[in-house]
């Protein structure tokens, strides 16, 4: 990849990091991201060597495993102008934690830092780097927004998704009480401590239902699957989408957990 | 999950009173803190300064400890050094025996809990009177504190009322908070005055004067430390600040973060014993400086944790604490700060679950008035427990298998493609309600079924179609 020429400022070359969850569970999100990046004038490629950003290992204490996967991602993506990820937590992993994970490796640390500086979460990339806004996208629905923790606290993503969603015609965004409180997903936490995770997400589900909106939107598939799964188990009618899908005009399609 | 933690969690999650009690206090605390900060635009600057003060003290601990000892001694206090919990308790018990104490009064001090002082006093046959209202409740119930600011946070008002009615000599009648407080006051007042020794903790140790600062909202510290003939302070060595001005800088952060007030009702500085001409005060004033693992934390990459001023904000804002409460953590200190401290104090092998039972959402760090990177420190413990082989075998081999594939993209592609097809066998509509190996998820939530083919599989067609 390093042999490839860089793009231009008008048309930067972007490596899309799809994330392991989108790859396996919700490919639509990957295509939504592709579509949005192209709409925002980028030349997008999907490096085939990608798998997972390494969070499950890194956050479980397997720092060697985390570092090993970090090196692979760096090698696969460092030829691009930008790495864009439709997930705050995976983008946060590359931006904040790759340099930590490789701090003791003088050969890789500069590469980790260089990649960290060029890695962005999708929604914030569209707004902050590309200055892009959706045009002619509409969705007649009411929605509420959950701010996933890594995106919010590691990357400061709060205004960008709202700025984008405001441009979606017909979409009414209503505030969620506790929008900045963790949904209880926490990656492997939700299966290592399922009873605690469940207690947390149940509270979240009640607050989501209290908004009376039809849709739940967010920027992290893991958290959305957790909340959607809890809502569905309760028999709730709230439907969940990743924000990128709505912005890409795919909000009319199947929501998370609906057959498509 | 280790059995003890699992049991504590299960018990907590099935106790509706506990959740009610936790929510009543933490929701209010969160709201009041937010209001206090909105009213205090200098907070960010104060936080930076507070962080710098604590870092400076921790970096120059030897210097400030010597200065404090020198000045405290000059003011007539007797300074003792305790390397660990046992030694600290021995010293305090020695002072009590020397004073011929049969009854001691105590002001809430988490350090006292940490070193096991309540238990040590009881074993020595010395009557212990807890003078803090919440500690009084905890003592009557035969429990331990579940929060570092509100020890009885786990009890509802209704439970406290029942407890007082059963235990107080002249119980209250009307079920109001005022009547309950009055009942506790009746119960405690005469004992305040008949104790030979009063024991307190310290919020700050002031190096340049040798003074000890204690804050309360009930005034019980004053009644505990003034009438008895002997006053003993037990304090962790990280409580030092250079001067009283620094103590005030820290107080601004502490009180707002803890309760949302600008200042505690009582902020008392004790400096030496009663001097000739003083109207009151103890004749003997002892200060026991306790290390108990703190200098080891300094070496073990937990230096930042020594900034902690025990405000409790991290637990008030913690989604896990708010579900399981303090007791499930199993140590003296609960919540995020406890999950960092308990492995340091008791060994990570005994507290392995604590750093793992966290979503790493970062809210604790966001609210911490001295910017302690709690998630980073928790991750550090996870590293340690991985290296020491404390991670359960199932998790280890599962992650090992996953990692083996994740390092080989072709294998990973094959594996995911096979996995999504297998998963789809269990779906009903778009959801999976039950599936082998997914019980931890599906016991409580439905799992969105994967699409028929992975993104990487579909991508080939998509690219061909362009
Ligand atoms: S870690 Fe920070 S927020 Fe938690 S008790 Fe200590 S000072 Fe307060």
């Amino acid at each position: 990849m390093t042999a490839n020429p860089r793009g231009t400022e008008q048309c930067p070359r972007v490596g899309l990091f799809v994330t392991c969850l989108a790859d396996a569970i919700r490919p639509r999100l990957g295509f939504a991201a592709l579509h949005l990046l192209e709409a925002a004038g980028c030349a997008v490629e999907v490096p085939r060597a990608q798998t997972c950003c390494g969070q499950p290992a890194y956050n479980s204490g397997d720092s060697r495993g985390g570092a090993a996967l970090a090196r692979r991602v760096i090698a696969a993506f460092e030829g691009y102008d930008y790495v864009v990820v439709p997930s705050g937590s995976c983008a946060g992993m590359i931006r904040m934690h790759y340099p930590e994970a490789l701090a003791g490796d003088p050969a890789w640390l500069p590469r980790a830092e260089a990649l960290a500086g060029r890695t962005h979460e999708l929604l914030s990339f569209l707004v902050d780097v590309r200055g892009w806004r959706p045009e002619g996208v509409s969705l007649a629905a009411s929605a509420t927004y959950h701010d996933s923790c890594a995106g919010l606290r590691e990357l400061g993503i709060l205004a960008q998704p709202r700025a984008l969603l405001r441009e979606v015609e017909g979409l009414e965004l209503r505030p969620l009480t506790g929008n900045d409180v963790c949904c209880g997903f926490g990656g492997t936490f939700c299966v290592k401590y399922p009873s605690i995770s469940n207690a947390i997400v149940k509270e979240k589900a009640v607050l989501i239902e209290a908004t009376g909106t039809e849709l739940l939107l967010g920027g992290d598939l893991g958290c959305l699957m957790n909340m959607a799964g809890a809502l569905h188990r309760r028999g709730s009618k709230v439907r969940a989408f990743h924000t990128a899908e709505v912005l890409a005009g795919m909000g009319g399609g199947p929501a998370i957990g609906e057959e498509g | 999950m280790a059995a003890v933690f699992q049991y504590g969690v299960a018990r907590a999650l099935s106790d509706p009173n506990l959740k009610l009690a936790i929510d009543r206090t933490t929701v209010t605390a969160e709201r009041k803190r937010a209001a206090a900060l909105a009213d205090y635009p200098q907070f960010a600057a104060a936080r930076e300064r507070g962080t710098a003060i604590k870092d400076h003290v921790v970096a120059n601990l030897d210097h400030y400890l010597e200065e404090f000892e020198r000045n405290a001694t000059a003011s007539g206090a007797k300074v003792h050094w305790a390397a660990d919990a046992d030694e600290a308790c021995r010293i305090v018990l020695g002072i009590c025996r020397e004073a011929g104490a049969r009854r001691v009064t105590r002001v809430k001090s988490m350090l006292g809990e940490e070193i096991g002082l309540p238990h040590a006093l009881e074993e020595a046959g010395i009557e212990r009177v807890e003078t803090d209202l919440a500690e009084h409740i905890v003592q009557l119930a035969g429990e331990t504190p579940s929060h570092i600011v509100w020890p009885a946070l786990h009890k509802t008002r209704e439970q406290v009322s029942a407890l007082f009615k059963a235990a107080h000599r002249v119980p209250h009648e009307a079920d109001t908070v005022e009547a309950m407080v009055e009942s506790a006051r009746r119960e405690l007042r005469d004992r305040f005055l008949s104790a030979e020794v009063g024991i307190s903790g310290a919020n700050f140790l002031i190096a340049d004067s040798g003074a000890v600062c204690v804050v309360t909202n009930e005034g019980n510290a004053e009644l505990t430390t003034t009438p008895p003939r002997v006053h003993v302070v037990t304090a962790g060595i990280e409580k030092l600040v250079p001067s009283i001005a620094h103590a005030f800088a820290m107080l601004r952060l502490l009180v707002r973060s803890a309760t949302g007030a600008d200042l505690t009702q009582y902020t008392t500085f004790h400096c030496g014993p009663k001097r000739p001409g003083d109207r009151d005060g103890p004749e003997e004033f002892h200060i026991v400086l306790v290390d108990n693992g703190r200098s080891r934390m300094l070496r073990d990459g937990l230096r930042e944790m020594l900034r902690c001023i025990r405000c409790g904000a991290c637990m008030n804002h913690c989604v896990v604490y708010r579900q399981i409460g303090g007791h499930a953590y199993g140590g003296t200190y609960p919540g995020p700060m406890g999950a960092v401290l308990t492995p340091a104090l008791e060994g990570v092998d005994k507290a392995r679950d604590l750093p793992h039972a966290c979503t790493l959402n970062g809210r604790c760090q966001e609210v911490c008035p001295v910017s302690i990177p709690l998630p980073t420190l928790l991750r550090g413990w996870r590293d340690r427990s991985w290296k020491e082989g404390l991670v359960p075998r199932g998790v280890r081999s599962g992650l090992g298998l996953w990692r083996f594939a994740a390092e080989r993209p072709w294998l990973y592609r094959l594996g995911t493609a096979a996995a999504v097809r297998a998963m789809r066998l269990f779906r009903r509509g778009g959801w999976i309600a039950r599936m082998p190996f997914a019980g931890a998820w599906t016991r409580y939530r439905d799992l969105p079924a994967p699409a028929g083919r992975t993104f990487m599989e579909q991508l080939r067609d998509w690219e061909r179609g362009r």
Side-chain angles (χ1 to χ4, degrees), chain B residues 39-161:
Chain B
D39 245 15
Y40 185 49
Q42 310 90 320
F43 181 76
R47 185 186 193 199
E48 239 172 73
R49 173 145 189 257
T51 305
I53 291 173
K54 290 300 263 187
D55 277 348
H56 169 79
V57 170
V58 169
N60 299 282
L61 206 50
D62 292 353
H63 167 82
Y64 286 111
L65 281 169
E66 276 169 33
E67 186 185 356
F68 177 79
E69 182 184 30
R70 204 166 49 242
N71 290 322
T73 310
S75 74
K78 174 118 197 358
V79 178
H80 310 257
W81 299 87
D84 57 21
D86 284 348
E87 192 178 0
C89 287
R90 265 202 311 278
I91 294 170
V92 177
L93 291 180
I95 297 168
C96 292
R97 282 204 195 93
E98 197 116 314
R102 278 170 325 219
R103 172 180 282 173
V104 305
T105 43
R106 214 171 77 90
V107 194
K108 172 186 153 287
S109 143
M110 288 313 291
L111 182 93
E113 304 288 335
E114 176 189 320
I115 60 175
L117 191 54
H119 182 70
L121 287 166
E122 262 151 40
E123 280 220 315
I126 299 171
E127 186 195 347
R128 165 176 68 99
V129 182
E130 294 293 344
T131 64
D132 183 269
L133 180 58
E135 282 281 3
H136 172 63
I137 296 166
V138 167
Q139 184 179 27
L140 283 184
E143 296 173 330
T144 53
S146 67
H147 189 285
I148 61 173
V149 174
W150 300 284
L153 172 135
H154 57 286
K155 285 215 166 336
T156 60
R157 197 161 57 234
E158 297 78 0
Q159 289 172 317
V160 173
S161 174

Side-chain angles (χ1 to χ4, degrees), chain A residues 20 23 38 48 50-51 59 61 72 153 182 190 193-194 197-198 203 226 229 232-233 257 259, chain B residues 1 19 323 353 359 361 366 379 382 406-407 412-413 427 431 442-446 455-456 463 466:
Chain A
C20 54
D23 177 43
E38 288 188 345
R48 292 304 197 273
Q50 63 179 291
T51 57
N59 288 341
R72 297 198 154 265
R153 299 201 177 83
C182 176
C190 73
Y193 299 94
S197 174
N198 171 55
E203 258 186 70
N226 182 42
H232 189 256
R233 182 63 62 91
E259 259 180 313
Chain B
M1 262 196 269
K19 182 64 181 146
Q323 297 299 337
D353 276 301
T359 66
N361 66 72
E366 185 177 74
R379 221 190 249 106
R382 294 183 184 190
E407 289 197 63
Y412 186 85
R413 296 278 99 79
R427 85 201 145 98
W431 294 98
T442 55
R443 193 172 330 140
Y444 301 109
R445 306 154 270 228
D446 292 328
F455 174 82
M456 287 299 188
E463 281 172 345
R466 304 204 99 188

Side-chain angles (χ1 to χ4, degrees), chain A residues 137-230:
Chain A
V137 181
S138 63
L139 182 67
S142 57
T144 195
Y145 201 91
H146 168 74
D147 294 279
S148 285
C149 302
L152 179 69
R153 299 201 177 83
E154 290 186 340
L155 307 176
I157 300 168
L158 181 71
Q160 299 94 327
R162 291 170 176 81
L164 292 167
L165 288 167
R166 252 200 311 277
E167 306 295 322
V168 175
E169 218 171 295
L171 186 72
E172 180 211 346
L173 213 52
R174 287 188 215 149
L176 172 65
T177 308
N179 62 296
D180 61 345
V181 177
C182 176
C183 74
F185 174 62
T188 52
F189 169 85
C190 73
V191 288
K192 285 180 186 156
Y193 299 94
S195 57
I196 307 176
S197 174
N198 171 55
I200 298 170
V201 74
K202 255 168 67 184
E203 258 186 70
K204 177 63 80 177
V206 170
L207 290 170
I208 293 168
E209 286 181 330
T211 62
T213 55
E214 297 152 79
L215 306 182
L216 166 68
L217 303 180
D220 263 87
L221 187 54
C223 311
L224 284 164
M225 283 169 59
N226 182 42
M227 291 181 284

Side-chain angles (χ1 to χ4, degrees), chain B residues 148 305 308-314 337 368-370 372 374:
Chain B
I148 61 173
M305 198 58 221
C308 176
I309 51 175
R310 310 286 193 259
C311 72
C314 55
M337 56 82 84
C368 175
V370 285
I372 300 175
L374 292 152

